[in-house]
Amino acid sequence: AAGVIQSPRHLIKEKRETATLKCYPIPRHDTVYWYQQGPGQDPQFLISFYEKMQSDKGSIPDRFSAQQFSDYHSELNMSSLELGDSALYFCASSLDLPRQSGELFFGEGSRLTVL
Amino acid sequence: GENVEQHPSTLSVQEGDSAVIKCTYSDSASNYFPWYKQELGKRPQLIIDIRSNVGEKKDQRIAVTLNKTAKHFSLHITETQPEDSAVYFCAASRYSTLTFGKGTMLLVSP
């Protein structure tokens, strides 16, 4: 079965540089989420999209932005990178039922290292 | 917003013992409570979930209980095996966005 695809899997950047992460959700899933997980920490919700519109916003820094495209893939853009942005970034997708949460399927994650 | 507390942060058991991890949540409107297992550097993987209209759910060695009045839910793993060693996260959501607990590192010694 198709899973959530994230790219790149690993990314190394210098401080103040820009990075873009991509996510391809499971076909026919209507909601995409981005989570950030620092070392030894729980996943922190950044932002989500439902049918290409932003649906919820969490602790996403102003330096970050995201969007979902017409083919449902999503990109997380991170600018002016800081050392503290080093983390695993997970994308997840779900097919939500009316007034019910659907199961989240996580991608393998993109590991960002900022030097 | 939702706040999820998880205990203990670390749990060490002998192989064959049972393990129990507990979580509390703050938003009484939350209605979906999944549990994830995460191995080092890997993605969280759903192991069991429960919705607010159910008090208990079991899947082989894993069970989850939910007490909506007290706003807490628990994960029970019986007959633990070394391959159960991982970090376990509870989570809660009302519509779709999951809020995670801080995680429990489970160590199962042979």
Side-chain angles (χ1 to χ4, degrees):
Chain A
V4 176
I5 306 297
Q6 290 188 245
S7 66
R9 293 292 312 281
H10 301 274
L11 192 58
I12 299 174
K13 291 287 186 178
E14 299 278 340
K15 281 195 305 183
R16 292 179 290 277
E17 286 191 319
T18 297
T20 297
L21 307 181
K22 296 185 178 182
C23 170
Y24 295 82
I26 293 173
R28 292 183 295 281
H29 277 194
D30 53 16
T31 309
V32 169
Y33 308 82
W34 286 98
Y35 281 85
Q36 177 192 56
Q37 188 175 30
Q41 298 182 1
D42 57 298
Q44 291 289 314
F45 171 67
L46 294 178
I47 195 167
S48 64
F49 295 87
Y50 173 74
E51 286 292 341
K52 293 164 282 185
M53 299 287 290
Q54 181 182 310
S55 57
D56 198 3
K57 194 172 182 180
S59 52
I60 185 170
D62 292 340
R63 300 176 289 108
F64 292 11
S65 65
Q67 57 183 321
Q68 187 176 29
F69 296 86
S70 57
D71 65 351
Y72 288 88
H73 94 273
S74 179
E75 294 185 3
L76 178 66
N77 299 292
M78 301 174 283
S79 63
S80 302
L81 287 170
E82 302 173 356
L83 296 179
D85 296 329
S86 297
L88 257 177
Y89 290 82
F90 289 105
C91 174
S93 71
S94 69
L95 178 61
D96 287 341
L97 303 169
R99 295 190 299 279
Q100 272 195 66
S101 302
E103 177 185 345
L104 261 66
F105 292 82
F106 283 84
E108 298 282 2
S110 293
R111 181 175 294 283
L112 172 66
T113 302
V114 181
L115 303 176
Chain B
E2 176 66 274
N3 182 49
V4 178
E5 300 280 343
Q6 182 172 348
H7 299 280
S9 57
T10 305
L11 179 59
S12 294
V13 299
Q14 291 291 121
E15 182 177 2
D17 287 350
S18 295
V20 180
I21 303 171
K22 299 182 179 181
C23 289
T24 60
Y25 60 99
S26 61
D27 187 349
S28 56
S30 288
N31 56 18
Y32 177 60
F33 307 93
W35 286 87
Y36 287 87
K37 175 183 180 182
Q38 187 177 31
E39 297 176 354
L40 190 63
K42 302 285 183 67
R43 63 182 160 185
Q45 293 200 301
L46 181 72
I47 55 172
I48 195 167
D49 58 9
I50 191 168
R51 297 190 184 273
S52 57
N53 57 347
V54 175
E56 184 174 356
K57 185 176 178 181
K58 191 173 182 180
D59 183 5
Q60 299 183 334
R61 297 187 295 111
I62 295 173
V64 58
T65 58
L66 171 65
N67 183 327
K68 283 210 69 181
T69 303
K71 291 190 284 188
H72 69 69
F73 56 114
S74 300
L75 177 71
H76 304 252
I77 306 175
T78 59
E79 300 173 28
T80 53
Q81 301 165 5
E83 50 265 39
D84 293 330
S85 297
V87 178
Y88 290 79
F89 290 99
C90 63
S93 77
R94 180 170 53 169
Y95 293 119
S96 56
T97 301
L98 288 179
T99 299
F100 286 85
K102 294 296 182 189
T104 297
M105 179 175 291
L106 174 64
L107 302 170
V108 181
S109 303

